Amino acid sequence: MLKQYKLRNYNFRLILYVVSLTVIGIFVIGSARESVQSKQMLGLFLGIIAMISVSVMDYSFILRFSWLFYFFNIGLLILVKVIGDNANGSTRWVEIAGIRFQPSELSKIIIILFFAYFFMKYQESINTIKILGLSFILAGIPLVLIKEQPDLSTTIVTALIFVTLLFIAGLSYKIVIGVLAVSIPSVIIFISLILKPDQKILDGYQYKRIMAWLQPEKYADAAYQQLNSKMAIGSGQLWGKGLNNSQITSVKNGNFISEPQTDFIFAIVGEELGFIGAVVVIVLLFLIVLECIFMARKAKDISGRLICCGMAALIGFQGFINICVATGLMPNTGLTLPFVSYGLTSLVTLFMGIGFVLNIGLQPNKYGMGDT
């Protein structure tokens, strides 16, 4: 389980990027809602402990328990439906022994680990109907449970992670082209159906968010979050208004953005740290994703490569969607910004995922390119 590692293989660059981004997040969270800043600092402390602990554990040994992790994940998601706490119309949290956490955040990491093991085991037969069908069923069960919370945005991100892992594992290009040929017209039909007022596909609030994005003047009550977010980002100009400022022209100070410490944290970054601060956050996210991809290229086996690419997909997709929502380029989804938004479960699980990436880097393939 524990091995002798060489310190020169430890990716301190990745740690620097992750910690730096989290520290920026702590400062911005303190400005957005000071009452939760200390909790996020605790999350950073716990996250670093989790990251270092996981980074010295042999990931190949951990993957032996993938099926146990999978069923544990399903159990937690079912527990949400049974004893979950309801907040803002969604039941996504459970409290066990006084600890309140969000299982869907942990689910992302477990799904990455499970399918890294599963696709490694069936790498030679991944393009068969049997394995493809089984993998979609195994991915579909947790996805349905997350969707029922309801949490469509997390469902979409988790599905994107699964598709990324499937592609990296060696999915045939013929299948990819065939799926695209079918999915593109299907998506067009789906969009046309959900835009109808009497549609039954999406929940009411989901439909309203999409329409508020397309027709903000008609759905002003649902569009105000994104409109105010864009106003806040634009008002920051180049250098921003400064953290904890008391300007009466501040969108944040006027309480025009609800829950600014979570979904719309990027609006606070734009307003108070300006264009420069926003670019720094985006660049750090990009560098973290790149480091995960570089580590994937050095992985000793396909499972290590998949874990690194899975973490790159998680951070990349979720970060991209959150920033697009804050800038009005996508409908409001309710996703947090990795390492920046407030949330202990999200922060600690992300650090755990980075710990696995670091461990993969400690066991590099001697040829530096993974399996060939």
Side-chain angles (χ1 to χ4, degrees), residues 216-230:
E217 66 286 343
K218 187 177 179 180
Y219 295 85
D221 59 327
Y224 81 97
Q225 278 274 63
Q226 284 186 287
L227 294 175
N228 290 337
S229 174
K230 290 190 290 182

Side-chain angles (χ1 to χ4, degrees), residues 72-304:
F72 175 71
N73 180 39
I74 299 301
L76 283 178
L77 293 174
I78 292 174
L79 200 62
V80 172
K81 294 181 68 68
V82 179
I83 63 168
D85 294 337
N86 186 287
N88 299 322
S90 299
T91 306
R92 304 174 185 175
W93 295 264
V94 292
E95 186 170 335
I96 301 176
I99 300 175
R100 188 172 184 265
F101 65 101
Q102 191 174 346
S104 60
E105 293 294 337
L106 180 61
S107 182
K108 298 172 190 174
I109 306 299
I110 292 177
I111 285 174
I112 290 172
L113 295 177
F114 175 77
F115 281 106
Y117 166 82
F118 183 84
F119 290 144
M120 177 188 66
K121 185 175 181 180
Y122 297 103
Q123 185 180 9
E124 300 301 322
S125 53
I126 195 170
N127 290 300
T128 62
I129 295 177
K130 177 183 176 181
I131 299 303
L132 281 175
L134 182 57
S135 66
F136 275 95
I137 291 171
L138 290 170
I141 295 172
L143 287 175
V144 168
L145 290 170
I146 295 172
K147 166 65 174 63
E148 291 300 310
Q149 293 182 359
D151 193 351
L152 181 60
S153 54
T154 298
T155 306
I156 292 172
V157 168
T158 308
L160 288 172
I161 294 170
F162 167 72
V163 171
T164 300
L165 294 174
L166 185 59
F167 178 76
I168 298 297
L171 185 65
S172 169
Y173 283 96
K174 293 180 180 178
I175 296 176
V176 173
I177 294 171
V179 170
L180 288 175
V182 174
S183 61
I184 291 175
S186 298
V187 168
I188 295 172
I189 294 171
F190 175 76
I191 292 174
S192 65
L193 288 175
I194 65 175
L195 292 179
K196 293 181 178 180
D198 58 344
Q199 63 85 33
K200 303 295 182 184
I201 301 173
L202 297 178
D203 294 334
Y205 80 95
Q206 294 167 345
Y207 170 77
K208 200 169 184 180
R209 282 181 175 181
I210 293 175
M211 296 310 297
W213 176 63
L214 294 173
Q215 302 175 9
E217 66 286 343
K218 187 177 179 180
Y219 295 85
D221 59 327
Y224 81 97
Q225 278 274 63
Q226 284 186 287
L227 294 175
N228 290 337
S229 174
K230 290 190 290 182
M231 187 187 305
I233 293 170
S235 69
Q237 299 185 30
L238 185 62
W239 295 103
K241 299 174 181 176
L243 293 171
N244 303 298
N245 71 80
S246 57
Q247 295 184 26
I248 59 173
T249 57
S250 168
V251 178
K252 181 210 72 179
N253 293 341
N255 294 320
F256 292 114
I257 300 176
S258 60
E259 302 300 327
Q261 76 278 10
T262 53
D263 304 352
F264 284 90
I265 192 71
F266 192 74
I268 311 302
V269 171
E271 181 175 58
E272 303 200 338
L273 300 181
F275 176 78
I276 299 299
V279 168
V280 169
V281 168
I282 293 171
V283 168
L284 283 172
L285 281 168
F286 181 69
L287 289 174
I288 292 169
V289 171
L290 276 185
E291 285 296 329
C292 289
I293 294 172
F294 291 153
M295 300 291 266
R297 289 172 57 85
K298 299 176 182 178
K300 68 178 182 180
D301 55 24
I302 183 64
S303 63

Side-chain angles (χ1 to χ4, degrees), residues 297-314:
R297 289 172 57 85
K298 299 176 182 178
K300 68 178 182 180
D301 55 24
I302 183 64
S303 63
R305 195 183 312 161
L306 288 171
I307 292 172
C308 291
C309 289
M311 284 303 301
L314 165 56

